[in-house]
Amino acid sequence: MPQSKIAGIGMYVPEHIVTNNDLKKYMETSDEWIEERTGIKERRYAHRTNETTTTMAVEAATIAIERAGITPQDIDFIIFATLSPDYYFPGCGVLVQRAMKMKEIGALDIRNQCSGFVYALSVADQFIKTGMYKNILVVGSEKHSFGLDFTTRGRNVSVIFGDGAGAVVLQPTTQEGQGILNTHLHSDGESAEILAMYNPGTHANHWTTNKVADFDEAEIGQMFMSKDMIDHDQNFPFMDGPAVFKKAIVKFPEVIMEALQASGFTHADLNLLIPHQANLRIAQFVQQKLQLRNDQVYNNIQQYGNTTAASIPIALCEAWQMGKIKEGDLVCLAAFGSGFTWASALIRW
Ligand code: UT7
């Protein structure tokens, strides 16, 4: 059975840099607070009208496809991870297919937030192993800047997130021990609401009141996204940051160890860990817990903020471009986020 390998990788971040001090124009915050709690110094924001989650994905995908030595017409499946799609539906996968003039191939969108890219990679890996596809485009892309609460009320969330995209092309390899060695996917929906964007959605408070409310005629049709919801700023993401932090620092090390042990490795064998760029303090905690040296972990949240599904492919691409990943290196990707969902992928480059 073939294994899958990353044959090409690309990234795209918008030109517009937003520093911590820039955010002070909109909310009560400080460069010191943001850097001390998150490590973030700046992030990129997409152009309001000319750049979307899909256009950024196309930029990253174009580079990944070129580096794989193929053309968009050779891609036989698209998997697109995002929580900030251009449209509520259809997904961004079909928009990439259209924009890149690909054949009438399958396109799948994945809604797994911070762990979306690792989930997407795992799904692609299965399709390669079964021989169903030979050139899969896996993308993570986010345009957060369009949907954040930039008032002081939303500052715990809005200062963290940035925009950008990363993409890889997955192909089969028969070279023994090369490529994706294992992937592990997990979820625990118990705390689904503590890092979530409730609207637009069909919940109508079903989960919070634990019963379907009895709506009158006037309310029906307003439930999906009502004026009242917008007036009360319920169209922004909600996060109980400290609770997410506590869970993340447990699940990150667990899922990394799961990946290493599944293939008979220890932390000492790891050449590079690319953790989802949620918060530099989380990554540093994980590094310390696993006793990894600085050169065994790559972080770039300082420059780009948290780009959710795009953070791992952006960091992976940047590390590779900087020569930090060489052929034969053991690389672990690990993510944790909303859901909660968490995941890892172990790769022999
Ligand atoms: O990738 C998605 C997964 N998400 C994560 O992994 C995020 C995990 N959590 C975190 O990264 C951290 O919890 C945050 C960075 C979000 C927040 O840091 P914290 O140290 O947990 O702060 P906190 O929420 O406990 O808030 C502490 C104080 C509060 O003020 P009071 O109540 O002590 O007066 C907040 O109102 O900091 C205040 N605060 C801010 N102050 C300045 C919250 N956000 C800001 C801000 N600027 N941007």
Side-chain angles (χ1 to χ4, degrees):
M1 195 197 292
Q3 300 237 117
S4 11
K5 64 160 191 200
I6 292 177
I9 183 161
M11 63 175 272
Y12 174 81
V13 288
E15 269 177 32
H16 181 43
I17 297 173
V18 177
T19 65
N20 293 342
N21 280 326
D22 290 336
L23 293 175
K24 282 162 53 181
K25 281 183 243 160
Y26 314 107
M27 64 187 82
E28 282 174 36
T29 189
S30 67
D31 181 40
E32 296 72 31
W33 191 96
I34 300 171
E35 197 174 342
E36 189 188 313
R37 309 276 178 136
T38 70
I40 299 167
K41 293 180 177 33
E42 58 191 41
R43 72 287 292 141
R44 305 292 179 101
Y45 284 173
H47 189 277
R48 283 194 77 73
T49 51
N50 291 345
E51 284 181 318
T52 71
T53 296
T54 300
T55 67
M56 291 189 286
V58 168
E59 297 283 348
T62 302
I63 299 167
I65 290 170
E66 206 176 288
R67 284 179 174 160
I70 57 170
T71 70
Q73 290 68 44
D74 295 316
I75 296 293
D76 45 22
F77 196 61
I78 304 166
I79 308 185
F80 199 122
T82 187
L83 65 71
S84 50
D86 294 30
Y87 304 128
Y88 186 78
F89 71 84
C92 290
V94 298
L95 302 181
V96 168
Q97 182 274 340
R98 177 177 67 184
M100 300 191 78
K101 299 183 172 46
M102 290 168 171
K103 289 182 294 195
E104 292 178 349
I105 53 172
L108 171 70
D109 274 49
I110 290 208
R111 300 280 305 267
N112 276 71
Q113 300 71 245
C114 305
S115 55
F117 183 79
V118 183
Y119 264 74
L121 202 66
S122 178
V123 173
D125 183 38
Q126 313 314 312
F127 279 127
I128 296 277
K129 280 183 179 144
T130 59
M132 184 147 170
Y133 298 121
K134 297 219 158 15
N135 290 297
I136 304 184
L137 177 66
V138 183
V139 192
S141 182
E142 304 283 5
K143 182 175 175 176
H144 286 304
S145 58
F146 214 64
L148 297 170
D149 178 359
F150 284 105
T151 68
T152 297
R153 190 184 33 232
R155 64 185 177 175
N156 72 318
V157 174
S158 54
V159 300
I160 295 176
F161 293 101
D163 302 340
V168 299
V169 171
L170 226 59
Q171 287 178 349
T173 174
T174 46
Q175 201 176 315
E176 187 78 14
Q178 194 202 25
I180 297 179
L181 305 182
N182 66 62
T183 58
H184 290 89
L185 311 179
H186 296 281
S187 74
D188 175 3
E190 195 55 44
S191 305
E193 281 78 15
I194 75 165
L195 175 45
M197 184 161 147
Y198 307 130
N199 300 301
T202 57
H203 58 88
N205 294 330
H206 171 71
W207 297 104
T208 42
T209 59
N210 212 21
K211 68 180 177 61
V212 180
D214 194 11
F215 292 101
D216 66 29
E217 285 293 314
E219 284 167 318
I220 292 170
Q222 298 234 327
M223 295 189 296
F224 194 67
M225 181 53 98
S226 68
K227 184 174 177 305
D228 190 51
M229 287 172 186
I230 293 169
D231 289 346
H232 290 90
D233 293 326
Q234 289 181 8
N235 53 326
F236 292 123
F238 169 81
M239 176 168 73
D240 177 347
V244 177
F245 196 105
K246 275 186 210 144
K247 193 84 172 180
I249 57 174
V250 174
K251 293 299 172 190
F252 261 112
E254 251 179 48
V255 81
I256 295 164
M257 286 313 295
E258 191 176 14
L260 289 170
Q261 285 166 1
S263 294
F265 296 113
T266 73
H267 66 281
D269 299 309
L270 198 55
N271 293 102
L272 201 63
L273 169 67
I274 308 269
H276 159 55
Q277 300 292 288
N279 179 327
L280 189 62
R281 309 297 160 229
I282 295 177
Q284 287 167 335
F285 187 95
V286 173
Q287 176 179 342
Q288 202 177 23
K289 173 111 182 159
L290 297 180
Q291 299 174 306
L292 298 172
R293 300 181 308 273
N294 284 344
D295 65 287
Q296 285 178 291
V297 186
Y298 186 70
N299 292 302
N300 61 5
I301 190 170
Q302 301 91 326
Q303 280 76 49
Y304 304 126
N306 177 342
T307 56
T308 317
S311 94
I312 287 182
I314 288 175
L316 185 66
C317 182
E318 204 171 70
W320 177 78
Q321 288 174 173
M322 292 165 86
K324 289 178 184 289
I325 304 175
K326 292 175 285 301
E327 203 170 327
D329 278 356
L330 192 63
V331 179
C332 186
L333 315 180
F336 174 88
S338 163
F340 293 129
T341 62
W342 59 103
S344 60
L346 192 67
I347 304 168
R348 178 67 77 189
W349 202 265

